[in-house]
Amino acid sequence: MGTPKLGNCSRCGKLFLRIRNFCDECYQKQEDDFLKAAAFLRDFPGSTIQEVNEATKVTVAQIRQFIWDGRILVSDLPNLSYPCETCGNMIRAGRTCSTCIETLNKLASQINNEKNEINQERNGKTGGYIKNYL
Ligand SMILES: [Zn+2]
Ligand SMILES: [Zn+2]
């Protein structure tokens, strides 16, 4: 770990001694949120994420973050699904839904294909040939 530096809190923007991504206040708020959400889900394990949000005022994005962090286990909560980070479809695993993963994969392979084409063009002209003889 390096020496802590002053930085802006990634949540409230306050200047603080950067030992984590957000300041003590926001950290405390997150822990309070976690306790509230976890307590509610312990009492009502059949709740949906909206019900947790309405009852505890913890934001859906924050609850989703707890799930991603492994602090709330969806496997014990049959109705707890959360919105896909990209399109908002309700999912129960990962950060994005399978449709978005597919779209992303397609985009990625498109970009790779374009890169390959550019490389092939370069190699075909001069680059590859000259390099071999230098
Ligand atoms: Zn903060
Ligand atoms: Zn999606």
Side-chain angles (χ1 to χ4, degrees), residues 2-82:
T3 36
K5 281 182 296 208
L6 275 182
N8 288 95
C9 169
S10 65
R11 296 197 173 201
C12 69
K14 201 174 80 175
L15 203 65
F16 75 117
L17 205 58
R18 207 180 166 92
I19 43 170
R20 55 174 84 88
N21 281 333
F22 33 93
C23 69
D24 282 344
E25 252 168 67
C26 290
Y27 178 75
Q28 205 50 58
K29 165 103 174 49
Q30 179 187 273
E31 293 311 293
D32 286 350
D33 280 354
F34 175 69
L35 291 179
K36 273 188 265 176
F40 183 79
L41 282 165
R42 201 180 311 126
D43 293 342
F44 306 97
S47 322
T48 64
I49 200 163
Q50 277 83 11
E51 285 166 351
V52 184
N53 167 243
E54 274 161 32
T56 63
K57 302 293 169 226
V58 181
T59 63
V60 167
Q62 179 66 78
I63 301 166
R64 183 174 66 175
Q65 189 61 52
F66 291 141
I67 297 171
W68 285 340
D69 291 345
R71 302 182 74 183
I72 290 177
L73 296 176
V74 202
S75 50
D76 302 332
L77 308 161
N79 298 320
L80 202 70
S81 48
Y82 51 88

